[in-house]
Amino acid sequence: MHDVVVVGGGIVGLATAREILHRRPGTDVLLVEKEVEVAQHQSGHNSGVIHAGVYYAPGSLKARFCREGAARTRDYCTEKRIPFSDTGKLVVATNPAEVQWLDELTERARTNGLTVTPLTADALREREPHITGLAALHVAATGITDYPAVCRALASDISAAGGVVRTSTAVTAIAESAASVTLTLAENGWETVESARKVIVCAGLQADRLAAMSGLNQGANAFQIVPFRGEYYRLPDTRHDLIDALIYPVPDPEMPFLGVHLTRTIDGGITVGPNAVLGFSREGYRKGSISLRDVASLARFPGMWQVARTHWRTGLAEQRDSLRSQGYLDLVRRYCPELTVDDLLPEPAGIRAQAVLRDGTLVHDFLIRRTDRTTHVCNAPSPAATSAFPIAEHIVDLAEVAT
């Protein structure tokens, strides 16, 4: 019997397994991941941003963990010689309503302990000659890194500390007793069984389904993972000197998305994106991917219909701009008017696992549910990659596996 089994080889699961072994060397830790390698979903399909914590509600887990997580991510990258860069970020307001929200965002950032600098239109243009707006907020603490490389380093740490990382291994059933948890695993066409004193599940896009296996996703407390495709473009090499900092629009405060932004990447390029388009396949990264199982799950869930009723205009606009590159471009041209359709080159998409409650509430913060012997991370959206180290500490504390 293992002491702990961690399910999920994304950055949160990997950081959690590492944290257990760091606290209590010699603990029997098994991490299982259904893909052939770690970081194959959200941890490997994102903008690579080290977030500062500007947007998050004061007192939320996101606000608590992001600032500490950013510092620890930089420390870990330095230790492991993983490249990172402190680029800074500009949040740009392009209309009067956004200027008002930018003022509120400035106060929120300062409440969260961040040093930010408001900029006038002239100061913005002086700092970023290719960017226009009525005002902007400069956030120096934002950076970029290579999160798949961070995940590979975490997996190596786990193995070096005596833990086991087993890929190509999917969990198909969870059975909990008073003394242990039994996992049924599908591995290379074979079914095996493993038992553990405690199980921690960090399943991302499959979080609701694994929570259901533990009886944690039913009735009034039910939630559904709704996949939102984040589609990206990449600018051509001739545009790589377009910006110095990352350029973000002012986000919609009612939605848990940050809008289409210009992001410098650690390889020297610039990406444009992501949008937030309802996906019809949780793990289908090609445009037009459809999973009948995933579509049926969306159709059966009452919360999804409530989301559709509340946000149908936003949803239609996102779908329209996804189908028309000109529509997508119009979002960027609000603050970078010189870009053209020819500047938008293909780039792989990402998929965000967004938890939605039965009443249609979009869960903005991290969401964790527990039984006596299992701990399930049910919602871990951005800035989960930035915050992975303090999130892992929080999970291990809740699970009481290495105290």
Side-chain angles (χ1 to χ4, degrees), residues 121-180:
D122 289 341
L124 167 63
R125 178 56 70 95
E126 183 177 353
R127 185 182 288 268
E128 293 284 351
H130 301 282
I131 303 301
T132 62
L134 300 180
L137 185 66
H138 180 243
V139 186
T142 301
I144 54 173
T145 191
D146 182 346
Y147 284 116
V150 172
C151 288
R152 292 190 293 270
L154 291 169
S156 295
D157 287 348
I158 294 166
S159 299
V164 174
V165 177
R166 186 188 302 174
T167 57
S168 301
T169 304
V171 175
T172 59
I174 302 174
E176 183 173 347
S177 68
S180 65

Side-chain angles (χ1 to χ4, degrees), residues 300-312:
R300 289 194 300 264
F301 187 62
M304 186 62 235
W305 291 102
Q306 184 59 43
V307 169
R309 283 190 291 270
T310 304
H311 300 293
W312 65 270

Side-chain angles (χ1 to χ4, degrees), residues 232-236 240 265 267 269-272 343-347:
Y232 291 87
Y233 291 94
R234 178 173 286 266
L235 298 186
H240 284 184
T265 57
D267 63 1
I270 298 176
T271 60
V272 185
D343 290 320
L344 301 182
L345 305 181
E347 179 75 358

